[in-house]
Amino acid sequence: MKTKKIIFTALFAALTCVATMIIKLPTPTMGYIHPGDAIVLLSGLLLGPWYGGFAAGLGSMFADLFSGYLSYAPATFIIKFLTAVIAWALAKPLRKVLGKVPSVIIAGTAGEAFMVIGYFLFEIFLLAFATGAGFSASSLTAGITSSASGIPFNIVQGIFGVIIATILYPILERIFKSMEEK
């Protein structure tokens, strides 16, 4: 079973990377909205916290590296890893109480909320540092203002990620269960 888990981790990392890079809507903030977050959530939900987190973080990080967002790559690995872990950690107990679909929606929403906050905080420091003025009050204010402009786009990306993951999860879960039986 461990070999299968490693193979699926690699597969989900590749799917995350491709879903992030191939289908993207550019935003006015120089970023883009993509369906990769659905695979990030599915990685955590289907593979568990460590394998799923690794697949989500690695695939998202490679998408940043291949797309020219080098300064985001380390933060992306951490943010997407934790997004997948949060989704798994909340979905597992919620599923017993609420059922499959509501647990994916709630856990996915929490994971994506972390993603929005994670990028907001990272971009504050990235943009404040990029001014060259160090971490002064004015550079932090500029960083906060600039970073805040990306929040709505990250929320939209998160919403689409939750919707797509909610639709795909029951189908993929059945496939995973049938493969475990073999």
Side-chain angles (χ1 to χ4, degrees):
M1 180 58 187
K2 190 170 187 158
T3 303
K4 282 185 186 178
K5 205 131 190 185
I6 292 169
I7 291 168
F8 278 112
T9 301
L11 175 65
F12 272 79
L15 287 171
T16 301
C17 183
V18 169
T20 301
M21 291 181 60
I22 301 301
I23 305 168
K24 44 182 163 176
L25 273 70
T27 66
T29 59
M30 305 304 290
Y32 56 95
I33 296 171
H34 57 81
D37 276 32
I39 311 302
V40 166
L41 295 173
L42 290 168
S43 294
L45 295 169
L46 294 167
L47 299 173
W50 303 116
Y51 289 97
F54 187 73
L58 191 65
S60 298
M61 181 188 73
F62 276 127
D64 277 356
L65 291 172
F66 297 149
S67 299
Y69 293 91
L70 301 177
S71 59
Y72 278 80
T76 291
F77 179 84
I78 294 165
I79 291 166
K80 299 298 182 161
F81 181 99
L82 292 173
T83 298
V85 170
I86 289 167
W88 172 85
L90 290 174
K92 192 170 181 174
L94 286 174
R95 184 173 178 163
K96 295 174 185 170
V97 179
L98 301 174
K100 192 181 303 184
V101 172
S103 68
V104 171
I105 293 169
I106 293 168
T109 300
E112 292 300 323
F114 173 80
M115 179 271 296
V116 171
I117 293 166
Y119 278 115
F120 173 69
L121 295 174
F122 171 71
E123 288 172 355
I124 288 171
F125 293 104
L126 179 68
L127 296 167
F129 182 72
T131 64
F135 291 111
S136 65
S138 62
S139 68
L140 284 175
T141 301
I144 290 168
T145 304
S146 183
S147 182
S149 66
I151 290 174
F153 302 106
N154 282 336
I155 290 172
V156 169
Q157 178 176 298
I159 290 169
F160 281 113
V162 171
I163 291 169
I164 295 166
T166 302
I167 292 167
L168 293 178
Y169 179 73
I171 299 162
L172 293 175
E173 183 194 37
R174 270 187 262 140
I175 293 169
F176 266 68
K177 282 187 177 178
S178 71
M179 292 181 73
E180 286 176 2
E181 294 169 0
K182 293 179 181 182

